[in-house]
């Protein structure tokens, strides 16, 4: 009996050793494709956060970065991407007018083609409007299920994502076939600050022979309307001032814009303010809007609905101004002022110096 037990123990030890060997082997073969966005010849900060997420999967991860578009801006962005992170082993460039705009149909076909040739174990995109539009369609073409809004990665197949409007965090394990496709919240992954000067990844062109009229889909790019402003982008601003329904009108939102100019901040809004027509919907912060995590978040007339809190609760310092002392926003605020928001705004506008 003792011999049988000893034999079983030896077999168990051998099995455990083989399992450890296979686990190490899998880690060695991890490869990730990062679908990146660019603007003005530079990779967007949200895509640099996606590179940080790729690093969290494994230090031995082989990372390829995919860029699409046309013209000089694309190639300048490729040069930036080639030295954006030490883990980047190659930059793939899809140079075609078909990818000049963020349309899901041609981009999904591009992603499927690149994946079939590269055989990546993971595909990562930021949870931007582009990423949320592209990833589910590409996942359907590849017959896999995507993991969305990832906020932390513990191992190559274990992820943390928020549920119940951010009130709970769920740890999940992906058990499907490769590739494991995920969108990440850029506010949860800090991009590498120092650029790699010694290592520059090679840049190669993607074979676009798969492109055809059928792959372009039924949607077409019409135009882009945006406001010309010197204020920082809402998703990446270090300071955000947000107004809610308490501001009462679009005219009163101009007070918030004046404060933002003095602070060099971006302007945000709650869904209630957007639905009331005070501001355009690209300024909406919350579960169905932008996810932000600035150094300073100032909320004026914001009640603190859970849908809004889901989009800003990771802010470093939260300041809330509301005349209702029982407003839920005060439960997450670091500093709270129970007062009339217009009086507070007037005093701030008078005492804060203009930004030089």
């Amino acid at each position: 009996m003792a011999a049988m037990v000893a034999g079983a123990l030896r077999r168990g030890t051998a099995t455990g050793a083989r399992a450890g060997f296979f686990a190490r082997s899998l880690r060695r073969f991890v490869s990730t494709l990062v679908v990146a966005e660019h603007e003005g010849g530079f990779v967007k900060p949200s895509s640099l956060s996606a590179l940080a997420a790729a690093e969290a999967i494994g230090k031995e991860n082989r990372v390829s970065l995919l860029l699409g578009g046309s013209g000089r801006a694309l190639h300048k962005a490729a040069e930036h991407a080639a030295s954006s992170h030490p883990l980047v082993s190659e930059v793939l460039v899809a140079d075609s007018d078909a990818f000049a705009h963020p349309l899901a149909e041609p981009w999904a076909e591009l992603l499927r083609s690149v994946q079939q040739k590269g055989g990546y174990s993971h595909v990562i995109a930021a949870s931007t409007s582009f990423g949320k539009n592209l990833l589910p369609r590409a996942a359907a073409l590849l017959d896999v299920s995507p993991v969305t809004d990832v906020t932390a990665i513990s191992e190559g197949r274990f992820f943390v994502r928020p549920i119940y409007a951010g009130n709970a965090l769920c740890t999940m394990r992906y058990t499907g076939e490769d590739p494991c496709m995920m969108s990440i919240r850029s506010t949860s992954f800090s991009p590498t600050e120092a650029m790699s000067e010694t290592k520059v990844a090679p840049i190669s062109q993607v074979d676009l022979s798969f492109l055809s009229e059928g792959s372009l889909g039924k949607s077409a790019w019409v135009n882009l309307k945006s406001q010309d402003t010197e204020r920082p982008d809402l998703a990446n601003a270090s300071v955000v001032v947000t107004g809610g329904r308490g501001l009462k009108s679009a005219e009163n939102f101009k007070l918030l814009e004046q404060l933002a100019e003095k602070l060099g901040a971006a302007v945000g809004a709650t869904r209630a303010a957007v639905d009331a027509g005070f501001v355009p919907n690209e300024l909406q912060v919350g579960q169905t809007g932008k996810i932000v995590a600035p150094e300073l978040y100032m909320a004026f007339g914001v009640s603190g609905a859970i849908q809004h809190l889901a989009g800003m609760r990771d802010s470093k310092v939260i300041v809330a101004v509301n005349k209702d002392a029982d407003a839920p926003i005060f439960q997450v605020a670091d500093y709270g002022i129970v007062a009339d928001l217009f009086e507070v705004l007037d005093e701030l506008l008078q005492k804060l110096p203009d930004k030089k």
Side-chain angles (χ1 to χ4, degrees):
M1 177 65 70
M4 292 174 63
V5 171
L9 287 173
R10 283 196 295 272
R11 287 194 296 274
T13 302
T15 302
R18 284 195 296 271
F21 170 77
F22 287 129
R24 290 190 296 272
S25 299
L26 285 173
R27 284 196 293 270
R28 282 200 293 270
F29 291 110
V30 169
S31 60
T32 301
L33 177 66
V34 174
V35 184
E37 301 173 62
H38 62 95
E39 185 177 29
F42 294 94
V43 178
K44 286 188 175 181
S46 58
S47 296
L48 296 178
S49 294
L51 284 172
E55 183 177 12
I57 291 174
K59 295 292 184 180
E60 299 177 359
N61 193 355
R62 180 176 63 84
V63 178
S64 300
L65 194 144
L66 176 63
L67 289 171
S70 60
R72 172 59 188 156
L74 170 64
H75 297 284
K76 184 179 177 183
E79 293 171 2
H80 175 219
S83 59
S84 60
H85 196 284
L87 276 184
V88 176
S89 61
E90 63 175 340
V91 177
L92 304 175
V93 175
D95 191 348
S96 171
D97 290 337
F99 310 115
H101 303 297
L103 295 176
E105 290 92 340
W107 270 93
E109 292 290 349
L110 170 64
L111 189 49
R112 174 168 68 170
S113 176
V114 172
Q115 169 60 28
Q116 288 176 341
K117 292 179 180 178
Y120 299 96
S121 61
H122 296 74
V123 175
I124 301 178
S127 288
T128 59
S129 298
F130 172 66
K132 291 176 182 178
N133 191 25
L134 166 65
L135 212 63
R137 189 180 189 93
L141 292 176
L142 293 167
D143 196 25
V144 297
S145 179
V147 183
T148 59
D149 278 341
V150 171
T151 58
I153 301 172
S154 57
E155 291 183 26
R157 300 275 165 142
F158 285 85
F159 311 105
V160 177
R161 62 183 302 272
I163 56 175
Y164 301 122
N167 286 294
L169 294 175
C170 171
T171 299
M172 59 168 295
R173 180 168 69 96
Y174 179 78
T175 59
E177 298 292 329
D178 285 347
C180 173
M181 302 184 73
M182 74 184 89
S183 63
I184 61 101
R185 285 196 177 182
S186 58
T187 55
S188 300
F189 297 91
S190 300
T192 302
E193 295 181 3
M195 306 290 281
S196 174
E197 297 180 357
T198 57
K199 179 186 176 184
V200 178
I203 301 173
S204 57
Q205 299 291 323
V206 176
D207 179 11
L208 302 179
S209 59
F210 67 91
L211 277 179
S212 63
E213 289 295 328
S215 64
L216 297 181
K218 297 180 180 180
S219 63
W221 180 262
V222 179
N223 60 27
L224 172 66
K225 292 183 179 180
S226 61
Q227 296 179 335
D228 293 330
T229 177
E230 295 182 357
R231 288 195 294 269
D233 177 62
L234 176 58
N236 302 307
S238 59
V239 181
V240 174
V241 291
T242 295
R245 188 161 40 192
L247 280 164
K248 300 180 181 179
S249 69
E251 188 68 24
N252 289 334
F253 249 88
K254 293 180 180 178
L255 296 173
L256 215 61
E257 293 173 357
Q258 293 175 25
L259 178 62
E261 290 176 2
K262 286 178 175 287
L263 296 173
V267 174
T270 63
R271 178 169 181 172
V274 170
D275 290 345
F278 298 166
V279 290
N281 58 10
E282 60 259 29
L283 299 186
Q284 182 179 328
V285 174
Q287 187 178 17
T288 55
K290 300 284 181 65
I291 306 296
V292 299
E295 297 294 324
L296 173 63
Y297 187 88
M298 303 180 72
F300 294 86
V302 175
S303 63
I306 59 173
Q307 291 85 357
H308 182 74
L309 298 182
M312 46 69 70
R313 65 167 67 247
D314 291 331
S315 303
K316 306 303 183 292
V317 177
I318 300 173
V319 178
V321 180
N322 200 303
K323 64 181 180 181
D324 181 8
D326 296 323
I329 189 70
F330 289 123
Q331 296 178 12
V332 298
D334 298 287
Y335 301 95
I337 302 175
V338 181
D340 184 276
L341 68 90
F342 296 106
E343 294 178 2
V344 175
L345 277 174
D346 286 339
E347 191 166 353
L348 286 172
L349 291 173
Q350 290 174 15
K351 294 187 176 180
L352 287 173
D354 292 332
K355 185 183 178 184
K356 296 181 180 179

